[in-house]
Amino acid sequence: MNIAVIIPMIVFLAIIFAIGYWSSTKLTAGSSFINDYFLGSRELGGFVLAMTMVATYGSASSFLGGPGTAYTMGFGWVLLAMTQVVTGYFVLMILGKKFAIMARRYDAITMIDFLKARYQSNWVVILSALSIIIFLFSAMAAQWIGGARLVESLTGLSYNTALFIFAVSVLVYVTIGGFRAVAVTDAVQGAVMFIGTLILLIAVIIAGGGIPNIMNDLINENPNLVTPFGTDGNLSMAYVSSFWILVGVGVVGLPQITVRAMSYKNSKSMHRALIIGTVVTGFIMLNMHMIGIFARPILPGIEIGDKVIPLIALETLPAWAAGIVLAAPMAAIMSTVDSLLILVSSTIVKDVYLNYIKPDADLKAIKRISFGITGALGVVVFLLALDPPELLIFLNLFAFGGLEAAFIWPVVLGLYWKWGNKYGAIASMIVGITSYVALHFYNNANGELFGVHTVTFPVVLSFIAFIVFSLLIGRKAYDYNVKTIK
Amino acid sequence: MKETDWRFKIANREARIGLGLAIFNFIWWFGFAYGMGSRPVEEYTYIFGLPDWFFYSCVVGFLLIVVLVIVIVKFFFVEVPFDEEEDER
């Protein structure tokens, strides 16, 4: 592998480390350590907030898997990917100011803190902590594997060495710097993704001889490629539209995204983040997926979708520029992994340890356990990723949609519907996850039920469960104005 | 019971605006994609080289949403303090 490709990546890693170190020097020594380490003291500005949301959300699939599928399926898949533009504004507009106010009032550091204060129920806490730890831990491991494979394919190092490099890079800056390091590195990683996709798109259009030329090649090969219906006409309207839930509005229920909606400084940061977030999400998704489809006439016959982007970058760009562009998927994976790591760690430290094991832990113990758990989690994920067990791969399948179905209503309705109570929340989480798992098996065996993505019905069912149980058992209006003592 | 926090009225209104924008976004996206994209390929026209349904649904749709978000944020969203402030002291 070309050394010129590797140098930009090394520079990129060096910058990330520098930020991690800088963040660790900003950690306060005072009693607000937990708030600082896991939430950056709620001081994110608009730009960093927008970027950390986009970067956390944009993962390996936006940069490798998604464009790879667009390569095979044509414009229908780009259409599908564009359902993600909504995430740029939806999460912040829906959770919005009410979430920011309530989170401060409850003194909530994690999403579970919010649920705990709103529903006053240990069962809600235990159920949500368990689902976050199990599912997001698996999701994190899957992303590490993806990151290592990418390093492997770019540098020619063995999988284990690549994994080691990847693991050490992420672990060091997350462990020492906490949430602030995650958010600020996300901003840099987001910027790398933004610039990387733009360079690559231009290079691909030039290499293909202009867009009209590329379009002619596509139509000559298979006219279905330029329709919204996929190569064989098998992307149905219902299926593509159901991604509005999975990768669009449902994202509101993902804990790693939700926690960001309580981390910003003031209304001004939120307003600015709304604009920047929408622009950046749409720009990256549109560009990356168009690159995928435009790559087809230039490099026909790529069998493995994940390789489309690395191959096309090396084909159309000089080595050093390819290095910069390929730092983008690397950045996307790292910025997803780091957020999951700090989130799972905060769940264990704040929601389990401080709630149930040792509520009176002193500052020194809290510090030790925070660094310790974050580091230990990383080491465990590393060891598991060396030879990923089947169970891990299996659990990862539910990480995204399953968590959305579990959390979307307890969070959103908990915020806006005064009749929502703990029975509704517990029922909603159980129904959401179990129906997701059950439907997953059904769809695997029989094809998608009613032709829509698995996530659709569990989200509807958990909504019904929330409403019905809230009204049937222990019906009582919640007073949002009462200050709850933590 | 205290009267409702004035900030919540603003927050609720803004959440409703967000919901409305998402619904509009969906209709625009769906309408152009499947309204124009369902014609036979031979009838497609191309704008900047892109198929017309895709250009309107995804490219124009995206730019329009950006403009709408800017307008909404600048003219309809209100800045409120987040911390429990003066009224308690």
Side-chain angles (χ1 to χ4, degrees), chain A residues 79 89 97 104-105 215 219 226 237 240-241 244 267 416 479 481, chain B residues 1 5 12 14 25 29-30 34 41 46 49 53 78 80 83-84:
Chain A
L79 177 70
Y89 58 87
K97 286 162 187 153
R104 277 169 172 77
R105 188 172 288 178
M215 224 47 60
I219 295 170
V226 301
M237 270 185 231
V240 174
S241 299
W244 269 80
S267 304
Y416 293 103
D479 182 2
N481 295 306
Chain B
M1 201 164 117
D5 192 324
N12 290 354
E14 293 180 1
N25 195 171
W29 172 92
F30 187 93
Y34 295 107
V41 179
Y46 296 85
W53 66 266
V78 185
V80 302
D83 292 306
E84 304 299 317

PDB file of all heavy atoms in Angstrom, chain A residues 79 89 97 104-105 215 219 226 237 240-241 244 267 416 479 481, chain B residues 1 5 12 14 25 29-30 34 41 46 49 53 78 80 83-84:
ATOM      1  N   LEU A  79     -32.307   7.729  -3.161  1.00  0.00           N
ATOM      2  CA  LEU A  79     -33.590   8.242  -2.687  1.00  0.00           C
ATOM      3  C   LEU A  79     -33.824   7.794  -1.252  1.00  0.00           C
ATOM      4  O   LEU A  79     -34.209   8.578  -0.386  1.00  0.00           O
ATOM      5  CB  LEU A  79     -34.718   7.723  -3.593  1.00  0.00           C
ATOM      6  CG  LEU A  79     -36.142   8.115  -3.204  1.00  0.00           C
ATOM      7  CD1 LEU A  79     -36.373   9.593  -3.433  1.00  0.00           C
ATOM      8  CD2 LEU A  79     -37.157   7.289  -3.985  1.00  0.00           C
ATOM      9  N   TYR A  89     -32.730  18.007  11.414  1.00  0.00           N
ATOM     10  CA  TYR A  89     -33.486  18.994  12.196  1.00  0.00           C
ATOM     11  C   TYR A  89     -34.475  18.357  13.163  1.00  0.00           C
ATOM     12  O   TYR A  89     -34.819  18.930  14.189  1.00  0.00           O
ATOM     13  CB  TYR A  89     -34.231  19.970  11.269  1.00  0.00           C
ATOM     14  CG  TYR A  89     -35.203  19.329  10.301  1.00  0.00           C
ATOM     15  CD1 TYR A  89     -36.511  19.076  10.657  1.00  0.00           C
ATOM     16  CD2 TYR A  89     -34.812  18.975   9.011  1.00  0.00           C
ATOM     17  CE1 TYR A  89     -37.403  18.491   9.776  1.00  0.00           C
ATOM     18  CE2 TYR A  89     -35.693  18.382   8.119  1.00  0.00           C
ATOM     19  CZ  TYR A  89     -36.990  18.146   8.516  1.00  0.00           C
ATOM     20  OH  TYR A  89     -37.858  17.559   7.642  1.00  0.00           O
ATOM     21  N   LYS A  97     -36.394  22.467  23.138  1.00  0.00           N
ATOM     22  CA  LYS A  97     -36.147  23.240  24.348  1.00  0.00           C
ATOM     23  C   LYS A  97     -36.722  22.575  25.583  1.00  0.00           C
ATOM     24  O   LYS A  97     -36.185  22.696  26.668  1.00  0.00           O
ATOM     25  CB  LYS A  97     -36.723  24.637  24.170  1.00  0.00           C
ATOM     26  CG  LYS A  97     -35.829  25.422  23.237  1.00  0.00           C
ATOM     27  CD  LYS A  97     -36.415  26.626  22.614  1.00  0.00           C
ATOM     28  CE  LYS A  97     -35.426  27.148  21.608  1.00  0.00           C
ATOM     29  NZ  LYS A  97     -36.028  27.892  20.520  1.00  0.00           N
ATOM     30  N   ARG A 104     -32.110  19.803  32.615  1.00  0.00           N
ATOM     31  CA  ARG A 104     -31.449  20.643  33.607  1.00  0.00           C
ATOM     32  C   ARG A 104     -32.186  20.598  34.933  1.00  0.00           C
ATOM     33  O   ARG A 104     -31.598  20.537  36.005  1.00  0.00           O
ATOM     34  CB  ARG A 104     -31.362  22.084  33.110  1.00  0.00           C
ATOM     35  CG  ARG A 104     -30.170  22.320  32.191  1.00  0.00           C
ATOM     36  CD  ARG A 104     -30.288  23.669  31.522  1.00  0.00           C
ATOM     37  NE  ARG A 104     -29.086  24.016  30.789  1.00  0.00           N
ATOM     38  CZ  ARG A 104     -28.753  23.522  29.609  1.00  0.00           C
ATOM     39  NH1 ARG A 104     -29.523  22.607  29.044  1.00  0.00           N
ATOM     40  NH2 ARG A 104     -27.662  23.908  28.990  1.00  0.00           N
ATOM     41  N   ARG A 105     -33.506  20.641  34.856  1.00  0.00           N
ATOM     42  CA  ARG A 105     -34.301  20.618  36.075  1.00  0.00           C
ATOM     43  C   ARG A 105     -34.085  19.314  36.838  1.00  0.00           C
ATOM     44  O   ARG A 105     -33.964  19.302  38.055  1.00  0.00           O
ATOM     45  CB  ARG A 105     -35.770  20.785  35.705  1.00  0.00           C
ATOM     46  CG  ARG A 105     -36.677  20.960  36.884  1.00  0.00           C
ATOM     47  CD  ARG A 105     -38.067  21.316  36.449  1.00  0.00           C
ATOM     48  NE  ARG A 105     -38.173  22.679  35.926  1.00  0.00           N
ATOM     49  CZ  ARG A 105     -39.299  23.191  35.453  1.00  0.00           C
ATOM     50  NH1 ARG A 105     -40.388  22.461  35.424  1.00  0.00           N
ATOM     51  NH2 ARG A 105     -39.343  24.426  35.001  1.00  0.00           N
ATOM     52  N   MET A 215     -24.770   9.149 -16.835  1.00  0.00           N
ATOM     53  CA  MET A 215     -26.176   8.743 -16.903  1.00  0.00           C
ATOM     54  C   MET A 215     -26.431   7.867 -18.131  1.00  0.00           C
ATOM     55  O   MET A 215     -27.118   6.860 -18.050  1.00  0.00           O
ATOM     56  CB  MET A 215     -27.045  10.009 -16.953  1.00  0.00           C
ATOM     57  CG  MET A 215     -28.262   9.987 -16.079  1.00  0.00           C
ATOM     58  SD  MET A 215     -27.999   9.427 -14.387  1.00  0.00           S
ATOM     59  CE  MET A 215     -26.824  10.625 -13.796  1.00  0.00           C
ATOM     60  N   ILE A 219     -27.899   4.091 -18.189  1.00  0.00           N
ATOM     61  CA  ILE A 219     -29.115   3.687 -18.911  1.00  0.00           C
ATOM     62  C   ILE A 219     -28.800   2.570 -19.903  1.00  0.00           C
ATOM     63  O   ILE A 219     -29.564   1.621 -20.053  1.00  0.00           O
ATOM     64  CB  ILE A 219     -29.743   4.897 -19.641  1.00  0.00           C
ATOM     65  CG1 ILE A 219     -30.211   5.920 -18.583  1.00  0.00           C
ATOM     66  CG2 ILE A 219     -30.911   4.463 -20.506  1.00  0.00           C
ATOM     67  CD1 ILE A 219     -30.630   7.248 -19.163  1.00  0.00           C
ATOM     68  N   VAL A 226     -31.687   4.173 -13.118  1.00  0.00           N
ATOM     69  CA  VAL A 226     -32.039   5.592 -12.923  1.00  0.00           C
ATOM     70  C   VAL A 226     -33.487   5.764 -12.468  1.00  0.00           C
ATOM     71  O   VAL A 226     -33.975   6.874 -12.367  1.00  0.00           O
ATOM     72  CB  VAL A 226     -31.783   6.450 -14.192  1.00  0.00           C
ATOM     73  CG1 VAL A 226     -30.316   6.368 -14.592  1.00  0.00           C
ATOM     74  CG2 VAL A 226     -32.673   6.041 -15.340  1.00  0.00           C
ATOM     75  N   MET A 237     -42.261   1.174  -3.095  1.00  0.00           N
ATOM     76  CA  MET A 237     -42.560   2.457  -2.458  1.00  0.00           C
ATOM     77  C   MET A 237     -42.681   2.292  -0.951  1.00  0.00           C
ATOM     78  O   MET A 237     -42.146   3.082  -0.185  1.00  0.00           O
ATOM     79  CB  MET A 237     -43.919   2.967  -2.946  1.00  0.00           C
ATOM     80  CG  MET A 237     -43.873   3.817  -4.159  1.00  0.00           C
ATOM     81  SD  MET A 237     -45.563   4.394  -4.443  1.00  0.00           S
ATOM     82  CE  MET A 237     -45.742   3.941  -6.142  1.00  0.00           C
ATOM     83  N   VAL A 240     -39.137   1.560   0.755  1.00  0.00           N
ATOM     84  CA  VAL A 240     -38.271   2.740   0.815  1.00  0.00           C
ATOM     85  C   VAL A 240     -38.855   3.780   1.776  1.00  0.00           C
ATOM     86  O   VAL A 240     -38.135   4.360   2.588  1.00  0.00           O
ATOM     87  CB  VAL A 240     -38.060   3.336  -0.598  1.00  0.00           C
ATOM     88  CG1 VAL A 240     -37.294   4.641  -0.527  1.00  0.00           C
ATOM     89  CG2 VAL A 240     -37.325   2.345  -1.483  1.00  0.00           C
ATOM     90  N   SER A 241     -40.159   3.983   1.725  1.00  0.00           N
ATOM     91  CA  SER A 241     -40.781   4.976   2.606  1.00  0.00           C
ATOM     92  C   SER A 241     -40.641   4.594   4.069  1.00  0.00           C
ATOM     93  O   SER A 241     -40.542   5.459   4.935  1.00  0.00           O
ATOM     94  CB  SER A 241     -42.268   5.145   2.269  1.00  0.00           C
ATOM     95  OG  SER A 241     -42.401   5.597   0.945  1.00  0.00           O
ATOM     96  N   TRP A 244     -38.145   6.095   6.437  1.00  0.00           N
ATOM     97  CA  TRP A 244     -38.390   7.354   7.149  1.00  0.00           C
ATOM     98  C   TRP A 244     -38.447   7.126   8.646  1.00  0.00           C
ATOM     99  O   TRP A 244     -38.110   7.998   9.436  1.00  0.00           O
ATOM    100  CB  TRP A 244     -39.705   7.995   6.667  1.00  0.00           C
ATOM    101  CG  TRP A 244     -39.449   8.916   5.544  1.00  0.00           C
ATOM    102  CD1 TRP A 244     -39.265   8.562   4.244  1.00  0.00           C
ATOM    103  CD2 TRP A 244     -39.289  10.331   5.602  1.00  0.00           C
ATOM    104  NE1 TRP A 244     -39.009   9.682   3.495  1.00  0.00           N
ATOM    105  CE2 TRP A 244     -39.022  10.776   4.298  1.00  0.00           C
ATOM    106  CE3 TRP A 244     -39.361  11.272   6.633  1.00  0.00           C
ATOM    107  CZ2 TRP A 244     -38.810  12.113   3.998  1.00  0.00           C
ATOM    108  CZ3 TRP A 244     -39.156  12.614   6.333  1.00  0.00           C
ATOM    109  CH2 TRP A 244     -38.884  13.018   5.026  1.00  0.00           C
ATOM    110  N   SER A 267     -30.075  28.371  23.816  1.00  0.00           N
ATOM    111  CA  SER A 267     -30.940  28.355  22.636  1.00  0.00           C
ATOM    112  C   SER A 267     -30.177  28.682  21.366  1.00  0.00           C
ATOM    113  O   SER A 267     -30.452  28.134  20.299  1.00  0.00           O
ATOM    114  CB  SER A 267     -32.060  29.380  22.769  1.00  0.00           C
ATOM    115  OG  SER A 267     -32.789  29.177  23.928  1.00  0.00           O
ATOM    116  N   TYR A 416     -43.979  15.232  26.379  1.00  0.00           N
ATOM    117  CA  TYR A 416     -45.101  16.083  25.961  1.00  0.00           C
ATOM    118  C   TYR A 416     -46.483  15.618  26.406  1.00  0.00           C
ATOM    119  O   TYR A 416     -47.447  16.368  26.298  1.00  0.00           O
ATOM    120  CB  TYR A 416     -45.104  16.233  24.438  1.00  0.00           C
ATOM    121  CG  TYR A 416     -43.915  17.020  23.938  1.00  0.00           C
ATOM    122  CD1 TYR A 416     -42.830  16.392  23.350  1.00  0.00           C
ATOM    123  CD2 TYR A 416     -43.889  18.405  24.088  1.00  0.00           C
ATOM    124  CE1 TYR A 416     -41.738  17.116  22.909  1.00  0.00           C
ATOM    125  CE2 TYR A 416     -42.800  19.143  23.659  1.00  0.00           C
ATOM    126  CZ  TYR A 416     -41.734  18.497  23.068  1.00  0.00           C
ATOM    127  OH  TYR A 416     -40.660  19.212  22.648  1.00  0.00           O
ATOM    128  N   ASP A 479     -47.201  16.542  36.538  1.00  0.00           N
ATOM    129  CA  ASP A 479     -47.045  17.996  36.572  1.00  0.00           C
ATOM    130  C   ASP A 479     -45.603  18.365  36.216  1.00  0.00           C
ATOM    131  O   ASP A 479     -44.689  18.145  36.991  1.00  0.00           O
ATOM    132  CB  ASP A 479     -47.400  18.504  37.970  1.00  0.00           C
ATOM    133  CG  ASP A 479     -47.290  20.019  38.045  1.00  0.00           C
ATOM    134  OD1 ASP A 479     -46.970  20.632  36.992  1.00  0.00           O
ATOM    135  OD2 ASP A 479     -47.511  20.580  39.117  1.00  0.00           O
ATOM    136  N   ASN A 481     -44.286  21.108  36.087  1.00  0.00           N
ATOM    137  CA  ASN A 481     -43.726  22.283  36.748  1.00  0.00           C
ATOM    138  C   ASN A 481     -43.129  21.993  38.113  1.00  0.00           C
ATOM    139  O   ASN A 481     -42.444  22.805  38.675  1.00  0.00           O
ATOM    140  CB  ASN A 481     -44.800  23.357  36.880  1.00  0.00           C
ATOM    141  CG  ASN A 481     -45.219  23.852  35.526  1.00  0.00           C
ATOM    142  OD1 ASN A 481     -44.375  24.277  34.741  1.00  0.00           O
ATOM    143  ND2 ASN A 481     -46.499  23.745  35.217  1.00  0.00           N
TER     144      ASN A 481
ATOM    145  N   MET B   1     -51.192  24.064  42.300  1.00  0.00           N
ATOM    146  CA  MET B   1     -50.389  23.863  41.098  1.00  0.00           C
ATOM    147  C   MET B   1     -50.013  25.202  40.487  1.00  0.00           C
ATOM    148  O   MET B   1     -50.865  26.068  40.297  1.00  0.00           O
ATOM    149  CB  MET B   1     -51.195  23.036  40.086  1.00  0.00           C
ATOM    150  CG  MET B   1     -50.327  22.358  39.061  1.00  0.00           C
ATOM    151  SD  MET B   1     -51.278  21.056  38.210  1.00  0.00           S
ATOM    152  CE  MET B   1     -51.271  21.701  36.546  1.00  0.00           C
ATOM    153  N   ASP B   5     -45.154  26.761  32.992  1.00  0.00           N
ATOM    154  CA  ASP B   5     -43.930  27.472  32.667  1.00  0.00           C
ATOM    155  C   ASP B   5     -44.065  28.103  31.271  1.00  0.00           C
ATOM    156  O   ASP B   5     -44.394  27.412  30.308  1.00  0.00           O
ATOM    157  CB  ASP B   5     -42.789  26.432  32.682  1.00  0.00           C
ATOM    158  CG  ASP B   5     -41.422  27.081  32.642  1.00  0.00           C
ATOM    159  OD1 ASP B   5     -41.282  28.107  31.961  1.00  0.00           O
ATOM    160  OD2 ASP B   5     -40.507  26.549  33.300  1.00  0.00           O
ATOM    161  N   ASN B  12     -43.449  23.678  23.071  1.00  0.00           N
ATOM    162  CA  ASN B  12     -44.475  22.872  22.410  1.00  0.00           C
ATOM    163  C   ASN B  12     -44.756  23.353  20.994  1.00  0.00           C
ATOM    164  O   ASN B  12     -44.901  22.559  20.070  1.00  0.00           O
ATOM    165  CB  ASN B  12     -45.782  22.913  23.217  1.00  0.00           C
ATOM    166  CG  ASN B  12     -45.649  22.145  24.525  1.00  0.00           C
ATOM    167  OD1 ASN B  12     -44.634  21.495  24.763  1.00  0.00           O
ATOM    168  ND2 ASN B  12     -46.655  22.234  25.372  1.00  0.00           N
ATOM    169  N   GLU B  14     -42.712  24.903  19.036  1.00  0.00           N
ATOM    170  CA  GLU B  14     -41.582  24.592  18.159  1.00  0.00           C
ATOM    171  C   GLU B  14     -41.544  23.111  17.800  1.00  0.00           C
ATOM    172  O   GLU B  14     -41.171  22.743  16.689  1.00  0.00           O
ATOM    173  CB  GLU B  14     -40.273  25.059  18.814  1.00  0.00           C
ATOM    174  CG  GLU B  14     -40.235  26.583  18.894  1.00  0.00           C
ATOM    175  CD  GLU B  14     -38.971  27.134  19.525  1.00  0.00           C
ATOM    176  OE1 GLU B  14     -38.086  26.348  19.907  1.00  0.00           O
ATOM    177  OE2 GLU B  14     -38.866  28.366  19.624  1.00  0.00           O
ATOM    178  N   ASN B  25     -41.709  17.598   4.410  1.00  0.00           N
ATOM    179  CA  ASN B  25     -40.517  16.999   3.831  1.00  0.00           C
ATOM    180  C   ASN B  25     -40.857  15.650   3.183  1.00  0.00           C
ATOM    181  O   ASN B  25     -40.471  15.348   2.053  1.00  0.00           O
ATOM    182  CB  ASN B  25     -39.489  16.801   4.966  1.00  0.00           C
ATOM    183  CG  ASN B  25     -38.080  16.516   4.477  1.00  0.00           C
ATOM    184  OD1 ASN B  25     -37.146  16.495   5.247  1.00  0.00           O
ATOM    185  ND2 ASN B  25     -37.899  16.248   3.182  1.00  0.00           N
ATOM    186  N   TRP B  29     -40.742  14.764  -0.859  1.00  0.00           N
ATOM    187  CA  TRP B  29     -39.843  13.676  -1.234  1.00  0.00           C
ATOM    188  C   TRP B  29     -40.602  12.573  -1.961  1.00  0.00           C
ATOM    189  O   TRP B  29     -40.221  12.131  -3.036  1.00  0.00           O
ATOM    190  CB  TRP B  29     -39.183  13.160   0.054  1.00  0.00           C
ATOM    191  CG  TRP B  29     -38.361  11.917  -0.030  1.00  0.00           C
ATOM    192  CD1 TRP B  29     -37.025  11.842  -0.256  1.00  0.00           C
ATOM    193  CD2 TRP B  29     -38.810  10.573   0.158  1.00  0.00           C
ATOM    194  NE1 TRP B  29     -36.609  10.523  -0.231  1.00  0.00           N
ATOM    195  CE2 TRP B  29     -37.679   9.736   0.025  1.00  0.00           C
ATOM    196  CE3 TRP B  29     -40.057   9.993   0.420  1.00  0.00           C
ATOM    197  CZ2 TRP B  29     -37.766   8.340   0.141  1.00  0.00           C
ATOM    198  CZ3 TRP B  29     -40.134   8.617   0.543  1.00  0.00           C
ATOM    199  CH2 TRP B  29     -39.002   7.807   0.398  1.00  0.00           C
ATOM    200  N   PHE B  30     -41.708  12.149  -1.358  1.00  0.00           N
ATOM    201  CA  PHE B  30     -42.491  11.042  -1.906  1.00  0.00           C
ATOM    202  C   PHE B  30     -43.163  11.446  -3.218  1.00  0.00           C
ATOM    203  O   PHE B  30     -43.121  10.726  -4.204  1.00  0.00           O
ATOM    204  CB  PHE B  30     -43.554  10.631  -0.880  1.00  0.00           C
ATOM    205  CG  PHE B  30     -44.303   9.383  -1.273  1.00  0.00           C
ATOM    206  CD1 PHE B  30     -43.868   8.145  -0.837  1.00  0.00           C
ATOM    207  CD2 PHE B  30     -45.442   9.458  -2.069  1.00  0.00           C
ATOM    208  CE1 PHE B  30     -44.547   6.988  -1.190  1.00  0.00           C
ATOM    209  CE2 PHE B  30     -46.125   8.302  -2.429  1.00  0.00           C
ATOM    210  CZ  PHE B  30     -45.675   7.060  -1.989  1.00  0.00           C
ATOM    211  N   TYR B  34     -42.030   9.371  -6.573  1.00  0.00           N
ATOM    212  CA  TYR B  34     -42.895   8.360  -7.158  1.00  0.00           C
ATOM    213  C   TYR B  34     -43.886   8.948  -8.146  1.00  0.00           C
ATOM    214  O   TYR B  34     -44.319   8.268  -9.069  1.00  0.00           O
ATOM    215  CB  TYR B  34     -43.585   7.556  -6.061  1.00  0.00           C
ATOM    216  CG  TYR B  34     -42.564   6.762  -5.276  1.00  0.00           C
ATOM    217  CD1 TYR B  34     -42.200   7.126  -3.986  1.00  0.00           C
ATOM    218  CD2 TYR B  34     -41.907   5.683  -5.871  1.00  0.00           C
ATOM    219  CE1 TYR B  34     -41.237   6.420  -3.290  1.00  0.00           C
ATOM    220  CE2 TYR B  34     -40.935   4.977  -5.192  1.00  0.00           C
ATOM    221  CZ  TYR B  34     -40.602   5.348  -3.892  1.00  0.00           C
ATOM    222  OH  TYR B  34     -39.632   4.651  -3.223  1.00  0.00           O
ATOM    223  N   VAL B  41     -38.896   5.024 -18.300  1.00  0.00           N
ATOM    224  CA  VAL B  41     -37.590   5.688 -18.314  1.00  0.00           C
ATOM    225  C   VAL B  41     -37.411   6.566 -19.559  1.00  0.00           C
ATOM    226  O   VAL B  41     -36.796   7.628 -19.497  1.00  0.00           O
ATOM    227  CB  VAL B  41     -36.453   4.643 -18.238  1.00  0.00           C
ATOM    228  CG1 VAL B  41     -35.096   5.312 -18.277  1.00  0.00           C
ATOM    229  CG2 VAL B  41     -36.587   3.814 -16.974  1.00  0.00           C
ATOM    230  N   TYR B  46     -33.696  15.227 -18.112  1.00  0.00           N
ATOM    231  CA  TYR B  46     -32.534  15.273 -17.234  1.00  0.00           C
ATOM    232  C   TYR B  46     -32.143  16.711 -16.925  1.00  0.00           C
ATOM    233  O   TYR B  46     -32.058  17.538 -17.828  1.00  0.00           O
ATOM    234  CB  TYR B  46     -31.370  14.499 -17.859  1.00  0.00           C
ATOM    235  CG  TYR B  46     -31.722  13.035 -17.984  1.00  0.00           C
ATOM    236  CD1 TYR B  46     -32.431  12.561 -19.089  1.00  0.00           C
ATOM    237  CD2 TYR B  46     -31.403  12.151 -16.970  1.00  0.00           C
ATOM    238  CE1 TYR B  46     -32.808  11.235 -19.170  1.00  0.00           C
ATOM    239  CE2 TYR B  46     -31.777  10.817 -17.037  1.00  0.00           C
ATOM    240  CZ  TYR B  46     -32.481  10.359 -18.140  1.00  0.00           C
ATOM    241  OH  TYR B  46     -32.864   9.051 -18.200  1.00  0.00           O
ATOM    242  N   GLY B  49     -27.986  16.788 -15.782  1.00  0.00           N
ATOM    243  CA  GLY B  49     -27.597  15.399 -15.990  1.00  0.00           C
ATOM    244  C   GLY B  49     -28.322  14.396 -15.125  1.00  0.00           C
ATOM    245  O   GLY B  49     -28.239  13.193 -15.357  1.00  0.00           O
ATOM    246  N   TRP B  53     -37.025  13.276 -11.697  1.00  0.00           N
ATOM    247  CA  TRP B  53     -37.678  12.941 -10.412  1.00  0.00           C
ATOM    248  C   TRP B  53     -36.691  13.054  -9.259  1.00  0.00           C
ATOM    249  O   TRP B  53     -37.014  13.571  -8.193  1.00  0.00           O
ATOM    250  CB  TRP B  53     -38.287  11.530 -10.446  1.00  0.00           C
ATOM    251  CG  TRP B  53     -37.279  10.416 -10.568  1.00  0.00           C
ATOM    252  CD1 TRP B  53     -36.859   9.826 -11.720  1.00  0.00           C
ATOM    253  CD2 TRP B  53     -36.565   9.772  -9.509  1.00  0.00           C
ATOM    254  NE1 TRP B  53     -35.922   8.856 -11.447  1.00  0.00           N
ATOM    255  CE2 TRP B  53     -35.726   8.795 -10.091  1.00  0.00           C
ATOM    256  CE3 TRP B  53     -36.543   9.909  -8.118  1.00  0.00           C
ATOM    257  CZ2 TRP B  53     -34.875   7.976  -9.353  1.00  0.00           C
ATOM    258  CZ3 TRP B  53     -35.703   9.100  -7.376  1.00  0.00           C
ATOM    259  CH2 TRP B  53     -34.878   8.137  -7.996  1.00  0.00           C
ATOM    260  N   VAL B  78     -37.804  31.041  19.252  1.00  0.00           N
ATOM    261  CA  VAL B  78     -37.553  32.069  20.257  1.00  0.00           C
ATOM    262  C   VAL B  78     -36.451  31.606  21.198  1.00  0.00           C
ATOM    263  O   VAL B  78     -36.431  30.447  21.605  1.00  0.00           O
ATOM    264  CB  VAL B  78     -38.835  32.327  21.078  1.00  0.00           C
ATOM    265  CG1 VAL B  78     -38.621  33.479  22.046  1.00  0.00           C
ATOM    266  CG2 VAL B  78     -40.011  32.588  20.155  1.00  0.00           C
ATOM    267  N   VAL B  80     -34.876  31.095  24.628  1.00  0.00           N
ATOM    268  CA  VAL B  80     -35.310  31.093  26.027  1.00  0.00           C
ATOM    269  C   VAL B  80     -34.143  30.628  26.891  1.00  0.00           C
ATOM    270  O   VAL B  80     -33.283  29.904  26.420  1.00  0.00           O
ATOM    271  CB  VAL B  80     -36.518  30.147  26.255  1.00  0.00           C
ATOM    272  CG1 VAL B  80     -37.687  30.531  25.393  1.00  0.00           C
ATOM    273  CG2 VAL B  80     -36.119  28.700  26.014  1.00  0.00           C
ATOM    274  N   ASP B  83     -31.806  27.491  32.250  1.00  0.00           N
ATOM    275  CA  ASP B  83     -31.619  27.219  33.665  1.00  0.00           C
ATOM    276  C   ASP B  83     -32.804  27.725  34.468  1.00  0.00           C
ATOM    277  O   ASP B  83     -33.534  28.614  34.039  1.00  0.00           O
ATOM    278  CB  ASP B  83     -30.311  27.846  34.154  1.00  0.00           C
ATOM    279  CG  ASP B  83     -29.124  27.135  33.545  1.00  0.00           C
ATOM    280  OD1 ASP B  83     -29.047  25.906  33.684  1.00  0.00           O
ATOM    281  OD2 ASP B  83     -28.298  27.807  32.888  1.00  0.00           O
ATOM    282  N   GLU B  84     -33.004  27.148  35.621  1.00  0.00           N
ATOM    283  CA  GLU B  84     -34.065  27.605  36.522  1.00  0.00           C
ATOM    284  C   GLU B  84     -33.627  28.972  37.001  1.00  0.00           C
ATOM    285  O   GLU B  84     -32.663  29.084  37.739  1.00  0.00           O
ATOM    286  CB  GLU B  84     -34.197  26.651  37.693  1.00  0.00           C
ATOM    287  CG  GLU B  84     -34.441  25.201  37.292  1.00  0.00           C
ATOM    288  CD  GLU B  84     -35.728  25.034  36.504  1.00  0.00           C
ATOM    289  OE1 GLU B  84     -36.741  25.637  36.901  1.00  0.00           O
ATOM    290  OE2 GLU B  84     -35.731  24.325  35.497  1.00  0.00           O
TER     291      GLU B  84
END
